[in-house]
Amino acid sequence: MRDGDTNGDARDASGDMDGDRTRVALADDDVLLREGLASLLANAGFEVVGQAGDAPGLLAVVRDRCPDLVVVDIRMPPGQTTEGLEAARVVREESPETGILLLSAHVEVDQAMELLAAGRRVGYLLKSRVIDVDDFVGTLRRVAEGGSVVDPGLVQELITARRRDDPLRTLTEREREVLALMAEGRSNAGIAHRLWITEGTVEKHVRSILARMRLPETEDDHRRVLAVLAFLDSR
């Protein structure tokens, strides 16, 4: 598939065409990775509507094909700095309902904070996470459905490198584990299942995390994401 081509023959898991499938645009200058992702997503029931090898190409695909979700590498030609991130910001401005999943081979949270702070339909994954197909597909679905995901690897690395005056230094080891799973977009039930504890215990940990971070416990579902972002911003 060439840049900008559509994948109009992609089919869902049953092999039938499905007009309700999530439409995805891919942007990465690594052709092998991009084609591999396109194949993976098509097999998982997504519709890959276009590909691009640079930021201008991505914007052209988005404006022409109107995807539900964009998967974009932060570093892209010509400068290999933040061209992909800048394109993602334009996508968010022009099409606020389009989900955005940022990919990076490096920890580059500072540059992405503004976009992540939107709290909806946005995610950030390290490329190393793409090897776990089930997790990657699950992340795409959560972002497309309005959720937010921050790679737990980013959270862990930032925890270990945090400043001594970071308000999160008082978190217990278990609370750090809960925070990392919150960053993945998991529900209390999902966290409880992963850690082999009760939902009630998870709720207590979440309340403790929010209190230590001085975040009010409101009815806003995205307070979990705000907790993770507040930590990232406090480095």
Side-chain angles (χ1 to χ4, degrees), residues 36-235:
L37 288 177
S39 178
L40 183 157
L41 296 183
N43 289 335
F46 294 86
E47 181 182 359
V48 180
V49 297
Q51 298 184 36
D54 55 29
L58 171 63
L59 294 177
V61 169
V62 171
R63 290 162 179 161
D64 184 50
R65 305 295 182 179
C66 300
D68 304 306
L69 178 67
V70 168
V71 179
V72 55
D73 187 7
I74 287 180
R75 297 188 180 187
M76 297 186 70
Q80 294 292 346
T81 54
T82 59
E83 287 85 352
L85 178 59
E86 295 302 323
R89 288 174 175 154
V90 174
V91 171
R92 179 48 50 95
E93 291 175 1
E94 296 183 355
S95 182
E97 295 305 306
T98 300
I100 297 172
L101 178 64
L102 300 170
L103 293 179
S104 179
H106 312 279
V107 177
E108 302 174 287
V109 176
D110 289 342
Q111 297 93 327
M113 280 298 300
E114 179 183 350
L115 190 62
L116 291 171
R120 288 185 61 82
R121 291 186 173 85
V122 65
Y124 188 139
L125 285 186
L126 293 175
K127 286 186 175 181
S128 58
R129 296 282 290 184
V130 179
I131 62 176
D132 190 323
V133 174
D134 289 340
D135 275 359
F136 182 63
V137 170
T139 293
L140 288 175
R141 296 196 189 284
R142 284 196 291 274
V143 172
E145 291 168 2
S148 299
V149 178
V150 179
D151 192 301
L154 296 172
V155 176
Q156 185 59 43
E157 182 162 339
L158 292 169
I159 285 175
T160 58
R162 68 189 184 280
R163 294 195 307 250
R164 291 186 61 185
D165 60 349
D166 193 313
L168 295 186
R169 70 185 186 279
T170 59
L171 286 186
T172 67
E173 188 64 31
R174 178 63 85 185
E175 287 170 346
R176 293 173 188 173
E177 292 174 338
V178 170
L179 179 58
L181 292 171
M182 287 166 57
E184 291 187 59
R186 298 185 184 277
S187 65
N188 285 355
I191 295 173
H193 178 75
R194 177 65 67 89
L195 297 180
W196 294 88
I197 57 179
T198 67
E199 285 191 54
T201 299
V202 174
E203 291 173 1
K204 290 179 181 179
H205 286 315
V206 171
R207 286 196 297 269
S208 177
I209 290 168
L210 295 174
R212 293 177 193 274
M213 298 180 68
R214 297 182 291 277
L215 288 173
E217 189 170 5
T218 68
E219 295 301 318
D220 182 2
D221 290 339
H222 296 289
R223 68 187 185 279
R224 293 169 170 264
V225 176
L226 292 176
V228 176
L229 294 177
F231 162 70
L232 300 180
D233 198 35
S234 71
R235 289 190 302 148

Side-chain angles (χ1 to χ4, degrees), residues 14-33:
S14 66
D16 296 325
M17 295 303 294
D18 182 357
D20 294 329
R21 286 179 301 143
T22 301
R23 295 161 49 84
V24 183
L26 302 174
D28 196 303
D29 61 314
D30 185 329
V31 177
L32 292 179
L33 174 61

